[in-house]
Structure formats: C-alpha cells, structure tokens
Amino acid sequence: FSFPIASFPPQHPIHPILPIHGIRDTMTEQRDQLDPSSSSLLPSKTKWPDTAPLDGEELIFSISCGNSHLHWATHYGHSEDYNPQIFWRTPHLKEEDLQNEDLVSVLSRNLPDDPHDYIFGKAVDASAADALTQSQQRDAPLISVYVVSTNQGQEALLAKIWTTVPSRFFIMRGEDFFRKEEGRYDTMGTDRLATLTGAVHLHGHPALVFDGGTATTYSATDGVGKIMGGGIGPGIQSKFRALTKDTDALPEITSEEVIARVNEAHEKGKPLPTFARNTQEAMMADAFQEFALKGRNVIEHWLDKAYGNLPEYNDDVPEESRPKFNTDKRVLCTGGDGELLMQLLQ
C-alpha cells in the first residue's frame, strides 16, 4: 500500500518555542537570505536537534518534491507522535507565478482548507498580516516546514513563498535518515532514503520499497538495518511517453487510461492478455509484464538475501531493545503510481 514518509522521528529532542516578539525578526532574517543574483531563498539544511519541531507545535508541514508534482502533508505535533493529518498534491511551482503574483497568494492557493486556516485564520483574503496575527494565537508561533527533495529549483521557490508567513523552512538531508555506516552512499536520493525510513518506521527491517513516479525505484534494507541498495528505471508513464514521442504510429496513453484498464482487469480477475489484439493494449501489456516480472524478481532476491542472514539475539536482550522486525515480510509501494505497482505485484 502507499504510505507517507516518516520525516519526524520522535527520538529527536523537542526545543522551546521562539518568543512572539522574535517572529518579525525571524521573517526579516529569512528574507535577508535571498540571493540577489537569483532572487531565491537559500534554504536551511537540517541540523539536529536544533531543527527539531518546536515544543507546542500543533501542525507540522512536510513537502516531497517529485519530478512532476509537489506532495504535501500536515502532521500532528509531538503529543500525537507526528502522525499525518492530511495529504494533497499540487503541480510544480513556476518562477513566472512568483514574479507576477503576490507570494502570499501563491502559498494560499496551494493549501486545502484546514492547513490554510491554521496559517491564515478564517480570513477570506489571506495576507502576511493575517498569518502574523494567527501565529500570535498559537503556543508555537513559528510553523516548521520540512522538505524532502532532489529538485533544487523547487526547493528555492518553496522557500520563497514560505518566507511570507512565520515559519522555519528546512531541507532534509540523507544523513537525517541513514548514516554512512548503515549503507547510505553519497549519490542516493533523499527521497529514496526517506521512503525507506518510512517503511522501517511502519514495519521494521528488512524493508523493501517500490516508488512509482516519473522514475520507478526500489530500495531495500537487510535484517540488521543496513541498506542493501536498489534500482532506478523509467516510470510507466515515462515509457509510454517515450514510445509516443519516438514513433509515428503509437498512440498516447494517459495515466487515467492505465489506471482504468488495470482496475478493470483486477475487478474481473482477468489480467491483460500476453498476446494483445489492439495497439494500446499491446503497449500496456508489455509495460505491465515488465514491471510485474521485474518487481517479483526483486522481491524474490530480497527475501533470499535479507531473510537468509538474520541477526541472532541473546536471551538477555529484552524484546523492546531489539530493532523492529518485519515479520510479515511486507513490501511497500508508494509514489504517484504506487497503487498501480501494488496491483501489478499482486
């Protein structure tokens, strides 16, 4: 099933809130970080425990920058173990929108009702003044925003719009999720590390995650919590777009058509035929077989390697002191095509 990233592990210490009289200075300081040559904010990198959520925060924001969309979430505070509240998806921000439109308006129109009201109150026309007034009514005036991204352009645009409200804006780093000695390598994307951490948080080690989007990836840990590695390839829609672009006769296939056809096959209990009788189904049948067979091959190797060499604990090591263990051998799917991947693997 699809699952949210676990960006806020509760083991990080909670810090005191910033006094209300310091909010205006913080907003000014954020704006002073703008690079005059690029007119973009220089986002802050995480540095624990200083960048941990503030004591008293009721809602925390996380944003995952995908290759084609922004995936937003709000999380409850420390007392609720940072569990997610709601999720939503928006298109990428555009530089021209930030140049031609009030920055507060850009942030405002990207928020659903509850997060919007949390930041701006019930004001019809959101403004920086509304956000400042609303912040003074919260126990923790500043809003913590954590971003998981491999897209520096979107990071900078997001940082810009968040300077318009009392906030702390942080870019998550690979070491926030796994250390080098746990198998993290320098070029491994933060997004992959974050989803792998989410899988471990939910079910423990060994973990295996398929992430379907513009690119489809898989990442895994072994029984002792060390990253085994993974793979990266074109996503389903990327494959279809390439076929349409690089040939004259092959039709365009939308994501809605793909989902509809997979749902139909799933409901009827009848997979797409290997020997399709029309061009569109032939394209889908080939792509689906490739993803299904590759995925099952990956799962088979993961089960063999990760569960074939499990750690042994002495009886004097209490159960609560041992790492969480994925007893049910759950494999997780996430991303824009996460549901589709799940159905193909089933």
Side-chain angles (χ1 to χ4, degrees):
F1 58 86
S2 300
F3 67 98
I5 59 173
S7 297
F8 316 110
Q11 64 264 28
H12 293 308
I14 305 301
H15 273 221
I17 64 172
L18 183 77
I20 290 178
H21 61 73
I23 295 176
R24 292 183 188 273
D25 294 338
T26 301
M27 294 174 69
T28 302
E29 180 182 345
Q30 286 178 319
R31 293 192 180 97
D32 287 344
Q33 294 181 55
L34 292 175
D35 181 351
S37 63
S38 65
S39 298
S40 62
L41 185 74
L42 303 178
S44 300
K45 299 292 185 180
T46 46
K47 184 181 179 181
W48 306 105
D50 299 340
T51 51
L54 300 172
D55 187 20
E57 282 193 89
E58 298 173 19
L59 277 186
I60 297 156
F61 286 70
S62 69
I63 307 171
S64 176
C65 299
N67 289 306
S68 55
H69 290 87
L70 299 176
H71 303 267
W72 307 60
T74 49
H75 306 253
Y76 295 109
H78 179 61
S79 62
E80 298 281 345
D81 202 20
Y82 306 109
N83 282 314
Q85 180 203 35
I86 58 173
F87 305 92
W88 67 101
R89 186 176 74 170
T90 64
H92 275 174
L93 298 175
K94 297 180 180 178
E95 182 71 49
E96 55 266 30
D97 290 342
L98 273 66
Q99 293 174 347
N100 301 327
E101 191 176 349
D102 176 55
L103 295 180
V104 176
S105 298
V106 176
L107 175 60
S108 172
R109 64 178 168 81
N110 278 281
L111 299 173
D113 289 344
D114 284 351
H116 187 279
D117 292 348
Y118 181 76
I119 296 175
F120 297 105
K122 299 290 185 179
V124 177
D125 298 317
S127 68
D130 293 327
L132 183 60
T133 299
Q134 188 70 11
S135 73
Q136 294 171 348
Q137 300 173 18
R138 297 193 294 262
D139 290 339
L142 295 182
I143 296 169
S144 296
V145 183
Y146 297 88
V147 176
V148 171
S149 171
T150 53
N151 188 323
Q152 293 185 350
Q154 287 300 300
E155 292 172 13
L157 296 178
L158 283 166
K160 264 190 180 181
I161 63 175
W162 279 99
T163 60
T164 61
V165 300
S167 62
R168 309 156 69 231
F169 185 91
F170 303 111
I171 304 297
M172 305 292 286
R173 301 180 298 171
E175 52 263 44
D176 294 329
F177 302 104
F178 284 88
R179 300 186 302 272
K180 282 284 188 70
E181 54 267 32
E182 293 174 316
R184 176 178 60 84
Y185 52 90
D186 289 336
T187 58
M188 191 170 186
T190 311
D191 53 347
R192 293 175 63 198
L193 293 163
T195 55
L196 201 50
T197 299
V200 173
H201 178 76
L202 288 171
H203 299 296
H205 298 292
L208 175 61
V209 181
F210 289 91
D211 191 342
T214 305
T216 296
T217 68
Y218 61 89
S219 309
T221 66
D222 61 17
V224 297
K226 191 169 184 178
I227 295 175
M228 298 170 63
I232 304 173
I236 292 176
Q237 286 302 314
S238 296
K239 281 181 171 290
F240 292 145
R241 280 193 295 268
L243 286 172
T244 303
K245 177 183 176 183
D246 295 340
T247 63
D248 290 329
L250 295 181
E252 179 181 356
I253 300 178
T254 67
S255 57
E256 290 77 16
E257 289 173 319
V258 172
I259 292 293
R261 185 63 183 89
V262 171
N263 286 338
E264 179 187 354
H266 186 68
E267 289 168 5
K268 293 181 177 180
K270 185 179 179 181
L272 268 70
T274 301
F275 300 100
R277 295 285 297 169
N278 68 67
T279 300
Q280 191 177 57
E281 287 228 333
M283 294 168 65
M284 287 193 281
D286 183 84
F288 293 167
Q289 287 181 76
E290 181 180 339
F291 278 99
L293 292 172
K294 181 183 75 172
R296 291 167 188 169
N297 180 60
V298 169
I299 292 171
E300 183 180 335
H301 280 270
W302 172 69
L303 290 172
D304 179 55
K305 293 181 179 297
Y307 286 87
N309 187 25
L310 296 176
E312 296 183 1
Y313 296 98
N314 296 327
D315 293 338
D316 57 351
V317 178
E319 192 73 29
E320 60 272 14
S321 299
R322 302 176 186 181
K324 193 171 184 178
F325 185 69
N326 186 4
T327 306
D328 295 331
K329 301 179 181 179
R330 291 182 179 269
V331 175
L332 304 188
C333 297
T334 188
D337 287 332
E339 183 178 352
L340 175 59
L341 289 175
M342 180 183 68
Q343 293 197 26
L344 291 175
L345 292 174
Q346 287 178 330

